[in-house]
């Protein structure tokens, strides 16, 4: 089975993982990750569930006054995500084509704004915030493809004389491609608005496509699939997290903002499935909940030299959710024993965490903590509740129980191999018996 998957499936998965447009989307989201973390920390500052903390600040300032600090950070991060993504995705895609990434990013941002909705004070929050993420991604990819093709046309190149600063030369070189690209998107917007009577394209797209799509991904089945894919790909040596990251990020930011808005209004958070949910309750120690594998090794594989050595070396990175030493050191990749619990554990964890959150025992994740945040602490931060930390601890215990039988199996196989090797070494060291010369009677 592994030979078949390695020959037929791995090359396809590797090509998908290195596909230029998916890489651009992934890198675009990674670029703005510090801002999403900062915005989530602002939510934590405003809504930290400690009565003493809230009452102390309320006694110094009015509640509406001191919460403006976190609100201002939120407005400067989450409320401009679509604008940032329109730039960063285009920038990375143009770099993949070895074109002018800065010009591509600026043109993409301008092209996206041709689809924006303007109110009395300027752009609406739906256009700038997470509501326009899908359109921003589509426009960034299409505008950059168009710009890169037009920029390669010599007939559209405006050459400046020698001695002109390079920045000026680049801006004039991108002038005609920019006019054509932005003009096309503005014309498409005009046709949609005038021909189909849709004045608010971003709002209409969000209500008819993006919101229902997010609802489809907010189910237990979708959560199982999202837990299965990266773990399965990792067992074949393919970076599963990188492949699924663009998809996760498209549903992540909008889901978090909707959760924050609902909680602020006193309602139940509508979206369970998002990236903080997976980081806190599924990817503890890395893909496959490998923090539990390390614990299982310390409990049950002390006499297994290979597992014990790799487990000790992997403990410190695993505490911060880095599990490459385990993946390639034990290894887990193409390992017929460990691939079963490596895939099964995250699916069990996502099931427990999903229904515990759905039943209201643990709050929904609303804070983006750094992915290197240690387990249990991460559970508290993303849910802003001690119950999130307890859930993380329970899931680690469950995961250890899943890994233990397979570690025991690996120990038995290791012992058999050691006995076999020792037997071969012993036989090799034994001197050969001298051949007896038969006596001949004369």
């Amino acid at each position: 089975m592994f030979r078949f998957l390695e020959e037929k499936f791995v090359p396809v998965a590797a090509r998908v993982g290195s596909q230029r447009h998916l890489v651009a989307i992934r890198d675009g989201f990674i670029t703005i990750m510090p801002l999403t973390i900062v915005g989530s920390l602002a939510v934590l500052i405003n809504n930290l569930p400690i009565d003493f903390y809230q009452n102390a600040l309320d006694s110094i300032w009015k509640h509406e006054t001191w919460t403006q600090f976190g609100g201002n950070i939120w407005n400067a991060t989450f409320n401009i995500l679509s604008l940032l993504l329109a730039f960063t995705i285009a920038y990375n895609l143009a770099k993949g084509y070895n074109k002018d990434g800065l010009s591509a990013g600026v043109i993409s941002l301008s092209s996206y704004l041709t689809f924006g909705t303007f109110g009395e004070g300027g752009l609406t929050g739906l256009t700038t915030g997470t509501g326009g993420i899908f359109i921003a991604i589509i426009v960034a990819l299409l505008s950059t493809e168009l710009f890169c093709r037009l920029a390669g046309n010599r007939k559209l190149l405006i050459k400046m004389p020698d001695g002109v600063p390079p920045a000026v030369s680049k801006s004039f070189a991108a002038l005609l491609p920019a006019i054509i690209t932005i003009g096309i998107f503005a014309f498409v917007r005009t046709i949609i608005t005038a021909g189909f009577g849709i004045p608010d394209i971003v709002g209409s797209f969000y209500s008819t496509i993006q919101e229902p799509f997010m609802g489809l991904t907010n189910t237990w089945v979708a959560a199982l699939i999202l837990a299965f894919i990266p773990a399965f790909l990792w067992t074949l040596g393919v970076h599963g997290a990188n492949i699924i990251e663009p998809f996760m990020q498209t549903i992540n930011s909008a889901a978090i903002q909707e959760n924050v808005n609902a909680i602020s209004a006193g309602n139940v958070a509508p979206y369970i499935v998002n990236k903080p949910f997976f980081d806190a309750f599924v990817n503890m120690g890395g893909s496959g909940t490998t923090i539990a594998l390390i614990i299982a090794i310390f409990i049950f594989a002390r006499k297994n030299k290979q597992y014990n050595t790799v487990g000790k070396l992997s403990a410190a990175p695993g505490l911060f959710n880095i599990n490459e030493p385990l993946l390639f050191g034990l290894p887990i990749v193409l390992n017929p024993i460990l691939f079963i619990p490596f895939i099964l554990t995250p699916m069990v964890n996502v099931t427990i965490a999903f229904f515990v959150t759905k039943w209201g025992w643990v709050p929904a994740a609303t804070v983006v903590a750094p992915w290197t945040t240690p387990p249990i602490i991460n559970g508290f931060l993303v849910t802003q509740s001690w119950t999130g930390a307890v859930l993380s601890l329970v899931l680690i215990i469950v995961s250890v129980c899943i890994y233990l039988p397979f570690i025991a199996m690996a120990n038995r196989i290791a012992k058999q191999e050691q006995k076999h090797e020792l037997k071969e070494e012993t036989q090799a060291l034994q001197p050969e018996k001298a051949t007896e010369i038969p006596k001949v009677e004369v």
Side-chain angles (χ1 to χ4, degrees):
M1 181 187 69
F2 275 117
R3 188 181 299 112
F4 171 79
L5 292 173
E6 190 174 8
E7 293 175 356
K8 303 297 182 182
F9 182 78
V10 171
V12 176
R15 284 197 296 270
V16 172
S18 59
Q19 206 279 330
R20 182 182 284 114
H21 299 85
L22 293 179
V23 170
I25 295 173
R26 184 196 68 203
D27 292 345
F29 275 102
I30 290 174
T31 303
I32 65 171
M33 185 180 294
L35 296 182
T36 59
I37 293 174
V38 171
S40 296
L41 292 177
V43 175
L44 185 61
I45 291 172
N46 280 8
N47 301 283
L48 190 66
I50 299 176
D51 293 336
F52 174 78
Y53 166 82
Q54 296 281 342
N55 295 333
L57 290 178
D58 286 345
S59 64
I60 299 173
W61 298 287
K62 291 182 179 179
H63 186 79
E64 295 78 10
T65 302
W66 69 265
T67 53
Q68 284 184 9
F69 173 74
N72 292 335
I73 296 176
W74 177 269
N75 290 332
T77 53
F78 267 82
N79 266 0
I80 59 169
L81 280 189
S82 293
L83 302 180
L84 295 173
L85 287 173
F87 179 89
T88 58
I89 293 174
Y91 177 89
N92 285 287
L93 181 57
K95 284 294 185 182
Y97 283 116
N98 294 320
K99 298 294 183 181
D100 184 5
L102 189 60
S103 296
V106 172
I107 292 169
S108 170
L109 176 58
S110 181
S111 299
Y112 170 68
L113 290 178
T114 62
F115 283 83
T117 303
F118 291 81
E120 294 180 359
L123 287 167
T124 61
L126 196 63
T127 300
T128 61
T130 57
I133 283 180
F134 275 73
I135 292 183
I137 292 173
I138 295 170
V139 171
L141 297 177
L142 294 179
S143 66
T144 306
E145 286 288 341
L146 183 58
F147 167 75
C148 290
R149 283 163 173 72
L150 294 174
N153 191 333
R154 294 182 179 179
K155 296 180 180 180
L156 300 176
L157 178 63
I158 299 177
K159 293 184 178 181
M160 301 299 291
D162 296 336
V164 175
V168 178
S169 299
K170 281 186 176 182
S171 63
F172 273 90
L175 179 59
L176 292 179
I179 293 173
I180 297 172
T181 302
I182 297 172
I184 290 175
F185 279 93
F187 181 68
V188 171
R189 165 65 189 272
T190 304
I191 292 176
I192 294 174
T193 302
F196 297 93
I198 305 176
D200 185 359
I201 295 177
V202 175
S204 299
F205 188 91
Y206 180 80
S207 60
T208 58
I209 296 177
Q210 183 171 335
E211 199 169 24
F213 175 75
M214 289 170 59
L216 290 175
T217 59
N218 197 42
T219 62
W220 171 58
V221 175
L224 279 179
I225 295 172
L226 293 174
F228 168 79
I229 292 175
F232 173 72
L233 292 176
W234 262 125
T235 60
L236 303 176
V238 179
H239 201 306
N242 278 353
I243 291 178
I244 204 171
E245 183 71 11
F247 175 80
M248 286 294 296
Q249 290 290 1
T250 55
I251 66 175
N252 179 50
S253 301
I256 292 173
Q257 183 160 11
E258 289 294 328
N259 284 352
V260 171
N261 293 340
I263 292 174
S264 300
N267 300 321
V268 178
Y271 294 106
I272 297 174
V273 180
N274 52 36
K275 195 170 184 300
F277 171 83
F278 272 86
D279 289 343
F281 304 128
V282 181
N283 299 327
M284 293 177 287
S287 297
T289 320
T290 46
I291 191 69
L293 175 57
I294 295 173
I295 296 171
I297 289 173
F298 288 155
I299 294 174
F300 218 73
R302 292 182 180 180
K303 295 182 180 180
N304 188 328
K305 292 183 179 180
Q306 179 190 353
Y307 276 42
N308 193 32
T309 302
V310 175
K312 289 179 180 178
L313 294 174
S314 304
L319 188 61
F320 299 97
N321 305 318
I322 300 169
N323 65 349
E324 276 76 6
L326 281 175
L327 291 168
F328 301 103
L330 287 180
I332 296 174
V333 174
L334 297 177
N335 188 323
I337 298 174
L338 292 180
F339 92 98
I340 296 175
F342 186 78
I343 295 174
L344 179 63
T345 302
M347 297 180 71
V348 171
N349 286 348
V350 81
T351 300
I352 297 172
F354 180 87
F355 286 104
V356 166
T357 306
K358 185 176 181 179
W359 295 333
W361 296 354
V362 173
T366 55
V367 174
V368 181
W371 65 272
T372 52
T373 303
I376 301 177
I377 298 174
N378 201 350
F380 170 78
L381 290 177
V382 302
T383 61
Q384 303 179 61
S385 172
W386 63 269
T387 57
V390 172
L391 176 59
S392 297
L393 178 61
V394 170
L395 293 176
I396 290 175
I397 295 172
V398 171
S399 302
V400 171
C401 294
I402 295 174
Y403 272 109
L404 277 178
F406 296 91
I407 294 295
M409 189 187 306
N411 285 341
R412 287 197 296 271
I413 293 175
K415 287 180 181 178
Q416 293 174 1
E417 290 177 349
Q418 289 175 2
K419 288 181 181 179
H420 183 69
E421 291 175 0
L422 183 62
K423 184 178 180 180
E424 289 182 345
E425 291 176 359
T426 303
Q427 290 177 350
L429 292 175
Q430 287 179 351
E432 296 182 359
K433 293 181 180 180
T435 54
E436 296 181 358
I437 300 175
K439 294 181 180 180
V440 180
E441 293 181 1
V442 178

